[in-house]
């Protein structure tokens, strides 16, 4: 009877939704990964194998994961930091998703992030977050029972780029002045504003877009104060800076790809040696 009960329990127990990695080709022959399901211990090696097979890292990974192992998520975060990969959390992001997300060299969220205090209190997690350039003072409120970070809260407390990544980019390529940054955001706002206005015209209810449009209009007004020569010179400086950063990231990625290839080759050699030395039955 006991065995029958066990079989019944196994049949009705919910199945673990293993993570799924969809490879999607994007412009220029590059690819992105869409990750869904539960984060598990094997995911780091599965993604490494995808990278090595493609001989390239994805331009971005979009996270739609739900739950899973914090240890596995931290291994993924470290992999992504070493590989200099951008990460975006498309949907509601939980603790494991967050731990993976913060490893990205560029990271953002589209919705709320929900953090579980019991996990965030763990020593290994706190040490990992410090390695990801998130200071103790920032982490402290997250160690309560539960914390919900909005997209704006994430941008303010975590930031788009880790401090270490920002430093090595600036040291290698330089950076725009504060004035140039403001002016370039104004130029971007002018282009973005046109797209927003076209979208608003197609909607019956554009009330959600109007505050965004108002902010972009205020920024775009600054662009009108720039001469054509100033705009062209600013765009040239920005494109040169972007090209330098992309080149620097490409160099880091190439070096890390070679490391992953060696790692995979060593694992295969070890398995082959183990199979050879195993006694025949």
């Amino acid at each position: 009877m006991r065995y029958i009960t066990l079989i019944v329990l196994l049949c009705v127990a919910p199945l673990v939704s293993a993570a799924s990695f969809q490879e999607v080709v994007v412009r220029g022959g590059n690819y992105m990964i869409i990750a869904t399901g539960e984060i598990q211990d094997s995911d780091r090696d599965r993604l490494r194998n995808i990278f090595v097979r493609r001989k390239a890292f994805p331009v971005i990974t979009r996270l739609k994961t739900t739950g899973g192992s914090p240890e596995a998520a931290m291994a993924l975060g470290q992999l992504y930091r070493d590989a200099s990969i951008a990460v975006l959390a498309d949907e509601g992001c939980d603790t494991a998703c967050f731990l993976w997300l913060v490893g990205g060299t560029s990271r953002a969220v589209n919705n709320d992030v929900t953090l579980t205090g019991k996990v965030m209190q763990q020593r290994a997690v706190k040490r990992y977050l410090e390695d990801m350039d998130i200071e103790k003072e920032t982490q402290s409120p997250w160690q309560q029972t539960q914390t919900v970070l909005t997209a704006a809260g994430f941008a303010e407390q975590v930031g788009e780029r880790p401090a270490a990544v920002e430093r090595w980019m600036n040291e290698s390529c330089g950076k725009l002045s504060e004035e140039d940054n403001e002016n370039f955001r104004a130029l971007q706002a002018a282009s973005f504003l046109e797209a927003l206005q076209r979208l608003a015209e197609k909607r019956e209810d554009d009330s959600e877009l109007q505050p965004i449009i108002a902010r972009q209009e205020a920024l775009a007004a600054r662009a009108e104060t720039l001469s054509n020569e100033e705009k062209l010179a600013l765009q040239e400086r920005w494109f040169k800076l972007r090209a330098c950063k992309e080149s620097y990231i490409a160099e880091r990625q190439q070096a890390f790809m070679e490391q992953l290839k060696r790692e995979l080759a060593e694992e295969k050699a070890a398995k082959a040696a183990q199979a050879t030395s195993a006694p025949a039955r």
Side-chain angles (χ1 to χ4, degrees):
M1 184 66 181
R2 181 171 54 189
Y3 299 112
I4 295 174
T5 303
L6 178 58
I7 292 171
V8 170
L9 287 173
L10 289 173
C11 290
V12 299
L15 297 175
V16 175
S17 174
S20 171
F21 303 127
Q22 181 184 1
E23 303 166 47
V24 180
V25 177
V26 295
R27 186 183 304 175
N30 297 313
Y31 75 104
M32 70 174 177
I33 284 178
I34 301 175
T36 57
E38 187 173 289
I39 298 172
Q40 297 183 3
D41 292 338
S42 61
D43 291 344
R44 191 260 183 199
D45 288 345
R46 289 173 58 207
L47 280 170
R48 176 203 59 187
N49 295 347
I50 291 174
F51 302 159
V52 173
R53 169 172 55 80
R54 282 188 166 271
K55 300 178 182 177
F57 296 108
V59 291
I60 192 170
T61 291
R62 304 179 77 112
L63 301 185
K64 301 174 185 286
T65 56
T66 52
S69 161
E71 291 77 15
M74 289 188 287
L76 288 167
Q78 187 62 62
L79 172 68
Y80 269 56
R81 177 61 57 86
D82 292 338
S84 302
I85 302 173
V87 190
L88 170 67
D90 270 334
E91 300 177 359
C93 189
D94 58 15
T95 306
C97 164
F98 174 80
L99 293 175
W100 181 356
L101 175 67
V102 295
T105 49
S106 176
R107 61 246 176 135
V109 297
N110 282 336
N111 284 290
D112 292 349
V113 178
T114 304
L115 303 176
T116 303
K118 286 184 179 179
V119 177
M120 306 307 289
Q121 293 168 9
Q122 295 176 14
R123 184 177 301 176
V125 171
K126 291 189 283 188
R127 185 167 55 247
Y128 164 79
L129 291 175
E130 286 185 59
D131 290 342
M132 296 297 110
D133 298 299
I134 299 176
E135 298 178 353
K136 292 179 180 179
E137 294 75 11
T138 303
Q139 297 180 41
S140 183
W142 305 342
Q143 295 160 15
Q144 308 304 317
T145 305
Q146 181 172 288
T147 303
V148 177
L149 287 177
T150 62
F154 179 90
E156 180 181 351
Q157 296 180 43
V158 179
E160 179 185 357
R161 286 195 185 280
V165 174
E166 198 68 46
R167 279 196 300 274
W168 56 249
M169 279 190 170
N170 292 339
E171 289 169 1
S172 302
C173 303
K175 61 180 181 178
L176 293 177
S177 67
E178 287 299 320
E179 183 179 5
D180 279 350
N181 268 321
E182 287 296 324
N183 287 336
F184 191 74
R185 280 195 287 269
L187 290 180
Q188 288 179 311
S191 299
F192 188 39
L193 182 59
E194 294 178 8
L196 282 173
Q197 289 171 337
R198 287 196 299 270
L199 181 60
E201 290 173 0
K202 295 178 181 178
R203 289 191 176 185
E204 292 184 6
D205 181 7
D206 63 356
S207 56
E208 291 184 0
L209 286 176
Q210 287 307 318
I212 304 174
I213 290 174
R215 287 195 296 272
Q216 298 304 313
E217 284 176 336
L219 277 172
R222 181 185 180 111
E224 295 301 319
T225 66
L226 302 174
S227 68
N228 288 334
E229 291 77 13
E230 287 173 324
K231 291 177 182 178
L232 289 172
L234 177 59
Q235 288 171 337
E236 183 178 359
R237 288 197 296 275
W238 185 85
F239 281 116
K240 284 183 177 178
L241 182 60
R242 188 180 73 169
C244 175
K245 290 180 178 181
E246 288 177 349
S247 175
Y248 191 77
I249 287 177
E251 289 178 8
R252 285 173 57 94
Q253 288 185 328
Q254 183 177 1
F256 188 61
M257 177 63 74
E258 294 304 316
Q259 180 180 326
L260 291 184
K261 288 177 181 178
R262 289 193 298 270
E263 178 184 307
L264 189 56
E266 288 169 2
E267 287 181 9
K268 288 181 178 178
K271 288 179 181 178
Q274 186 178 7
T276 303
S277 62
R281 293 184 179 179

